[in-house]
Amino acid sequence: VTADLVILTIRDSVLTVLVIKRGNAPFRGAYALPGGFLRGDESLERTAARELAEETGLDAATLHLEQIGAYSAPDRDPRTPRVVTVAYLAIAPRVGAIAAGTDARSVEWMPVAKALSPEVALAFDHADILADAVERARAKLEHTTIATAFCAELFTIAELRAVYEAVWGHELDRPNFHRKVTLAEGFVVATDQKRQSRSGRPATLYRAGPATRLSPSMQRPRTDPRTRAPGSS
Amino acid sequence: VTADLVILTIRDSVLTVLVIKRGNAPFRGAYALPGGFLRGDESLERTAARELAEETGLDAATLHLEQIGAYSAPDRDPRTPRVVTVAYLAIAPRVGAIAAGTDARSVEWMPVAKALSPEVALAFDHADILADAVERARAKLEHTTIATAFCAELFTIAELRAVYEAVWGHELDRPNFHRKVTLAEGFVVATDQKRQSRSGRPATLYRAGPATRLSPSMQRPRTDPRTRAPGSS
DNA sequence: GCAAAAGTGTTTTAGCTACACCCATGT
DNA sequence: ACATGGGTGTAGCTAAAACACTTTTGC
């Protein structure tokens, strides 16, 4: 049993995932998600947290870490005996360049769109895992306050909006977003500090509020179903 | 690695789960969720489907079967080597008395509220698993059309409403429910058949529609959060 | 003054709630 | 006739979408 990690962050307004280049067979030379084997009597959560620290130097205690699910297709790993893996989603705040490459392995931040493209072709079933994790993150932005986990301790509403736009891949109305976020109870709390960008009015800095569930929830703009699948009946 | 099953159904308007009485150590004599070990080169989904057929005679191909997650706490099972389990949620339609007791083991339908009560004290961490599965089912009723999985092929709107009320543990407004369900595109499709209850106007029979996502989604009446947990900051 | 970014107001419309009301059947 | 459950209408409220507008900074 292994634990694999989908570590997401926002870099240059793009949803990005941490991948490693495999040094060993199978899939030597291919990109893959970081992960490792369950040890002795630790839980899978602890395995995931340990791998997270090893790959990025981030402390799992301060991060959002959540299980995605178990993957067990018999052909997912050519090794024998077969390996069942449990995937975890970690959300890293956009703190400068995270130590990508703490240990000897080649570690790299890659835009999610690129990692899912056929040219990259992640090892094992890691493309499925990544897609599931991203979909989970998208869904959780609607109903929970985890979007703040992508931000530093202090952030502006524009930065928070950039998180939503990067994860959902969709532009949001700036004025309405501002209102919803600031009026949602316990989502963000204003500080008395401001941050000046190159030009324009300085933005108020906020920190994450105590709420975990969002109500009313954010509305993900729906990719109009009528334009995708003509109703079959 | 084992697969454990949370098989839910509605019996007499009560959300009910299938439990077995354990015949072997550990937890001999205690109630537990059905489950079994992963074999040879089958996937965990197949393990779960096989167990489902063995315990209830139901065919997984016709049922909703969905993974809940992996459970790996080192103390969850006193056996050595430790057992990691992956839990699955199955939704069984309310078809008469399902063959509870196909094989020799003692199999029993039990209301979820009773199964989660301290008197029953399910074996291992099965109470946690059951609670997670029920919460998953509750959430999915909001955004998807799985409520129809609890119903027979033909059902009335009142029966569908009974599903929502049993799973959510909350009464819904009858007229508004009728409208939402019948107007939600692809949720239910009317047949030309009707069903007569003891008295009153005969109800139109519906079958499940092609949609899987519900939009607009159903609104779960919110157990007012202010009365449960005063925000800790 | 002008550009740029933050933040507020306002109008329109969709959808939910609550409840009154009508319909079709058995007794 | 009337009880019983199925189904429809409607008034009022809440919140979301769209977009015009004001505020505060750098140049």
Side-chain angles (χ1 to χ4, degrees), chain A residues 1 38-45 67-74 82 84 86 88 136 142-143 185 210 213-215 220 222 225-226 232-233, chain B residues 1 38-45 67-74 82 84 86 88 136 142-143 185 210 213-215 220 222 226 231-233:
Chain A
V1 180
L38 178 68
R39 281 187 197 158
D41 67 343
E42 67 187 0
S43 68
L44 281 159
E45 280 78 10
Q67 187 187 122
I68 298 298
Y71 292 79
S72 63
R82 169 165 59 113
V84 171
V86 178
Y88 283 82
R136 174 76 66 93
E142 291 186 68
H143 307 293
E185 201 174 332
R213 308 280 310 173
L214 258 189
S215 71
R220 166 153 48 154
R222 11 198 71 265
R226 278 158 300 190
S232 65
S233 77
Chain B
V1 180
L38 179 67
R39 281 187 197 159
D41 67 343
E42 67 186 0
S43 70
L44 282 158
E45 279 77 10
Q67 187 186 121
I68 299 298
Y71 293 79
S72 63
R82 169 165 58 113
V84 172
V86 178
Y88 284 82
R136 173 78 64 93
E142 292 187 65
H143 307 294
E185 202 173 331
R213 309 278 312 171
L214 257 188
S215 73
R220 165 154 49 155
R222 11 196 71 266
R226 277 159 300 191
S232 66
S233 74

Side-chain angles (χ1 to χ4, degrees), chain B residues 45-78:
Chain B
E45 279 77 10
R46 268 193 55 79
T47 307
R50 181 167 50 74
E51 291 294 328
L52 181 62
E54 288 175 9
E55 303 293 352
T56 66
L58 292 167
D59 179 11
T62 68
L63 246 68
H64 180 83
L65 183 64
E66 148 181 23
Q67 187 186 121
I68 299 298
Y71 293 79
S72 63
D75 56 350
R76 65 171 299 276
D77 188 330

